[in-house]
Amino acid sequence: DAKTTQPTSMDCAEGRAANLPCNHSTISGNEYVYWYRQIHSQGPQYIIHGLKNNETNEMASLIITEDRKSSTLILPHATLRDTAVYYCIVRVVYNQGGKLIFGQGTELSVKP
Amino acid sequence: SQTIHQWPATLVQPVGSPLSLECTVEGTSNPNLYWYRQAAGRGLQLLFYSVGIGQISSEVPQNLSASRPQDRQFILSSKKLLLSDSGFYLCAWSAGQGAQTQYFGPGTRLLVL
């Protein structure tokens, strides 16, 4: 699975959009971009994933560049409860038993 | 909808004692099941995964073992705990077919003293 690079930490004001970047310049054609988050002392929570098209769900939007070498997770209206470590992972889908490789992630602090 | 349970939530055990952590999934059949460990300040390490009853694959050699006695039950065990076994143990599941999005349980925090 390809390696990802994320900023160590970011701040965001409550109610504003949080834009979390991720670089994955060595991504392969069959690898998807996944985002998870982990709130302190809880299990990781799946947020969204995509291949090349932008994706949106009830939690967030995922914007993937045309060359697929980077992506941005957007939380449109951040709340205090969105404070967490956000992990960007690239992996092959349809791979039973495939492990998720979590890097250090981005620690997002949403401030009032 | 699918839910995943883990217990206990926290555990303090002496070195050399046995361990049994349980994970169960509801609302799905024939899931793939995973055990991860997260040491303090570090990323997740995959320990075991299972694609069916009695089928266990180990990712790294260690002091732990896993079993899957029922379709939706996954157990992590040790005969004698080491100090280095302390950590946050997470169980996850993914659908048996199709995209392999993994969904995590609430975790068990283990402290070995």
Side-chain angles (χ1 to χ4, degrees):
Chain A
D1 291 338
K3 183 177 177 181
T4 63
T5 304
Q6 300 177 251
T8 303
S9 62
M10 293 180 64
D11 290 341
C12 179
E14 188 178 18
R16 304 295 295 270
N19 297 286
L20 293 95
C22 179
N23 286 323
H24 31 80
S25 58
T26 59
I27 192 170
S28 301
N30 63 346
E31 288 181 313
Y32 283 62
V33 180
Y34 273 77
W35 283 83
Y36 283 78
R37 72 180 183 185
Q38 188 171 23
I39 295 169
H40 183 61
S41 296
Q42 297 183 22
Q45 179 187 22
Y46 165 77
I47 301 173
I48 199 167
H49 75 280
L51 182 62
K52 26 181 174 178
N53 297 325
N54 297 337
E55 302 288 344
T56 295
N57 63 19
E58 65 278 3
M59 288 183 69
S61 294
L62 174 60
I63 309 298
I64 302 174
T65 57
E66 193 169 342
D67 63 7
R68 302 212 319 125
K69 293 185 176 181
S70 65
S71 61
T72 301
L73 178 75
I74 301 172
L75 308 178
H77 305 286
T79 71
L80 298 179
R81 287 178 293 181
D82 291 322
T83 293
V85 179
Y86 287 76
Y87 296 99
C88 169
I89 300 163
V90 292
R91 66 181 293 257
V92 176
V93 183
Y94 304 100
N95 179 20
Q96 289 196 28
K99 58 187 168 187
L100 293 176
I101 300 175
F102 285 71
Q104 294 304 307
T106 296
E107 188 164 3
L108 175 68
S109 296
V110 181
K111 300 181 184 298
Chain B
S1 64
Q2 300 85 8
T3 55
I4 179 168
H5 304 278
Q6 288 187 246
W7 62 89
T10 60
L11 192 59
V12 180
Q13 292 284 97
V15 169
S17 64
L19 174 74
S20 181
L21 303 181
E22 189 164 344
C23 169
T24 59
V25 181
E26 295 177 356
T28 186
S29 296
N30 196 30
N32 296 326
L33 297 172
Y34 309 80
W35 278 113
Y36 286 85
R37 177 171 59 201
Q38 186 174 35
R42 294 188 172 183
L44 272 67
Q45 178 187 37
L46 179 64
L47 303 175
F48 302 95
Y49 70 90
S50 170
V51 299
I53 295 174
Q55 301 178 61
I56 309 294
S57 296
S58 174
E59 279 291 302
V60 292
Q62 60 217 318
N63 184 41
L64 303 168
S65 62
S67 62
R68 185 169 176 174
Q70 300 180 45
D71 181 46
R72 289 170 289 176
Q73 184 184 33
F74 205 21
I75 296 172
L76 184 70
S77 304
S78 173
K79 293 182 179 177
K80 288 186 179 181
L81 283 169
L82 307 172
L83 287 174
S84 58
D85 291 323
S86 293
F88 192 38
Y89 288 84
L90 291 153
C91 181
W93 74 272
S94 65
Q97 296 183 3
Q100 296 295 307
T101 300
Q102 294 181 24
Y103 301 93
F104 287 82
T108 294
R109 193 163 300 280
L110 172 66
L111 179 61
V112 182
L113 299 175

